[in-house]
Amino acid sequence: MTSNDDYVLSFNASVVQQVKSGEIIRSQILTGKDAKQVAKLADLMELNVHAFCAKRGLVTPAHNEYTDLESRTNGELITLFDFNEFADDDDILKVMIIDQPEKLSAAIEKLPAELYEQFTILKSAPFFLEFLNKESNKGIGVKALADYFSIPAEQVMCVGDAGNDYHMIKYAGMGVAMGNATDDIKEIADYITLSNTESGVAKAIQKFVLDV
């Protein structure tokens, strides 16, 4: 998300940074120790894992179709990397357990309750389960950016379609769910726009920003 040409809120919701100067407005990330913990859990459940890290970008211990999808979606090259080689203090933006939707759903039901005390855990797609710093989610990130520009929540509009958008939809004065959004996002939204194949974001901007 951008507020102008100079500022960007990263999609992982962990870092808010000025593009031109590199100034960090807010940063709450994970560590290599966290990544190794999540990778060990994924291995025990026989699921795939990948992570976004500061030094190496998108990394995974083994090629899989879901990391390939992440690579194409975000334009990130994939680096094969043994997570045991992370230093405990490496900077990690997020770790994701990734696999077939039915396998991932079954695994989520078995996650230890204490993990939810340690991480922000969000399902961003049927095959993506994200692990973030406990103090990070898109709602916190959007608020940090809004506070930086002294913009009240009532004047913020956020548009989303999946579980990782939940917090920002709740935070925004105008929370908009895409027509193809999951039911839990539609339930908390102030407005439901068209689907992603019907220019739903443009429709919301026309209605609430451009008033056309």
Side-chain angles (χ1 to χ4, degrees), residues 54-147:
K55 293 180 180 179
R56 302 175 181 88
L58 176 59
V59 299
T60 184
H63 271 302
N64 62 86
E65 62 180 297
Y66 303 105
T67 301
D68 289 343
L69 173 61
E70 185 79 82
S71 174
R72 293 193 300 271
T73 301
N74 291 296
E76 291 271 358
L77 296 177
I78 300 171
T79 298
L80 290 179
F81 183 76
D82 183 349
F83 279 35
N84 291 318
E85 298 301 316
F86 276 128
D88 283 352
D89 60 353
D90 275 344
D91 289 341
I92 309 295
L93 301 179
K94 66 178 175 181
V95 186
M96 299 169 64
I97 293 180
I98 51 175
D99 223 296
Q100 299 172 16
E102 60 273 15
K103 291 179 63 177
L104 193 59
S105 294
I108 290 171
E109 295 180 2
K110 300 176 182 178
L111 289 179
E114 55 267 25
L115 277 181
Y116 290 91
E117 299 298 321
Q118 183 179 355
F119 302 102
T120 293
I121 303 176
L122 303 164
K123 194 175 184 181
S124 56
F127 35 75
F128 286 160
L129 185 66
E130 301 188 6
F131 290 74
L132 304 172
N133 183 291
K134 185 63 178 176
E135 299 303 318
S136 287
N137 60 57
K138 287 187 178 182
I140 293 173
V142 171
K143 183 180 185 303
L145 192 59
D147 288 349

Side-chain angles (χ1 to χ4, degrees), residues 172-201:
M174 176 53 64
V176 179
M178 298 294 291
N180 56 293
T182 54
D183 289 341
D184 58 329
I185 298 302
K186 289 180 177 179
E187 287 174 4
I188 64 169
D190 301 298
Y191 178 77
I192 300 174
T193 186
L194 300 176
S195 73
N196 60 324
T197 61
E198 300 171 297
S199 302
V201 174

